[in-house]
């Protein structure tokens, strides 16, 4: 008696349905917006590093105080600046989430790194730069100022932390540029 094929062959199991791929378009759009917003912030900080602060340092203390007060008032009172400043982080975090959910883990990692770098920028701004700006604003009438110690803190602490903010924003911008490149490669 030979063993032949079994007369009962179970039916082939259908493979589980593949979930529909999430469209990369919203993720790509948010990633692009995040890149532009972080780029704007990097440019603003860089402009202060290479032109505004060195230009002010070349003048007298009263001009320094008057000009910095005017810059801070213009920035603080500008809703467009506030929107760009805060939405840069929101867009980066949202982009990282969308990329991760879309299965583009490498892209999400680069965007997450950019978001982390930009978060440090915000922390430095709120803990160092804004308190110094407020101290300068509260220093009284510039014409009657005798003690310009605040100017020295700006020339050291504020300027140094602004350079750090520039470097962090530039790092975030580079990470977002890499993320855009990877996003483009993975969604062709």
């Amino acid at each position: 008696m030979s063993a032949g094929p079994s007369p009962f062959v179970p039916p082939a199991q259908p493979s589980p349905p593949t979930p529909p791929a999430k469209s990369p378009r919203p993720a790509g759009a948010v990633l692009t917006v995040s890149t532009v917003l972080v780029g704007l912030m990097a440019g603003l900080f860089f402009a202060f590093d290479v032109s505004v602060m060195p230009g002010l340092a070349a003048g007298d203390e009263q001009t320094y105080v008057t000009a910095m007060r005017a810059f801070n008032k213009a920035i603080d009172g500008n809703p467009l600046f506030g929107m760009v400043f805060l939405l840069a982080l929101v867009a980066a975090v949202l982009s990282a989430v969308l990329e991760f959910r879309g299965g583009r883990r490498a892209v999400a990692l680069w965007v997450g790194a950019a978001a982390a770098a930009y978060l440090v920028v915000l922390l430095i701004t709120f803990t160092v730069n804004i308190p110094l700006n407020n101290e300068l604003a509260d220093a009284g009438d510039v014409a009657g100022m005798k003690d310009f110690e605040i100017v020295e803190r700006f020339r050291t602490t504020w300027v140094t932390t602004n350079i750090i903010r520039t470097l962090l924003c530039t790092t975030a911008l580079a990470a977002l540029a890499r993320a855009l490149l990877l996003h483009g490669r993975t969604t062709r």
Side-chain angles (χ1 to χ4, degrees):
M1 185 163 165
S2 72
S6 169
F8 177 74
V9 177
Q13 295 291 325
S15 33
T18 306
K22 298 202 181 226
S23 171
R25 284 195 173 148
V30 175
L31 178 55
T32 300
V33 167
S34 176
T35 305
V36 169
L37 295 175
V38 169
L40 288 170
M41 292 309 304
L44 175 71
F45 294 138
F46 180 71
F48 268 81
D49 291 339
V50 300
S51 62
V52 174
M53 300 315 284
L56 287 176
D60 62 74
E61 282 82 1
Q62 289 175 328
T63 302
Y64 196 103
V65 171
T66 302
M68 279 307 297
R69 284 177 175 174
F71 294 144
N72 291 332
K73 184 177 179 181
I75 286 175
D76 290 346
N78 189 321
L80 181 58
F81 168 80
M83 186 175 66
V84 169
F85 183 64
L86 296 175
L87 282 181
L89 178 63
V90 172
V93 170
L94 178 58
S95 177
V97 169
L98 291 173
E99 294 293 349
F100 185 81
R101 285 186 179 170
R104 294 173 296 280
R105 307 275 192 283
V107 178
L109 182 65
W110 282 100
V111 179
Y118 193 77
L119 177 61
V120 175
V121 168
L122 293 179
L123 292 172
I124 290 169
T125 301
F126 286 113
T127 61
V128 179
N129 296 87
I130 290 176
L132 281 171
N133 292 346
N134 292 339
E135 188 179 338
L136 185 67
D138 297 339
D141 180 28
V142 72
M145 287 179 78
K146 302 280 189 258
D147 180 12
F148 287 96
E149 183 183 320
I150 184 69
V151 174
E152 197 51 42
R153 278 198 298 281
F154 261 80
R155 286 184 177 145
T156 56
T157 306
W158 196 99
V159 170
T160 301
T161 57
N162 196 68
I163 292 168
I164 294 167
R165 293 189 300 176
T166 303
L167 293 172
L168 286 166
C169 271
T170 304
T171 299
L173 183 59
L176 289 168
R178 178 68 178 156
L180 277 170
L181 180 67
L182 292 175
H183 177 88
R185 287 181 182 167
T186 60
T187 57
R188 288 183 196 177

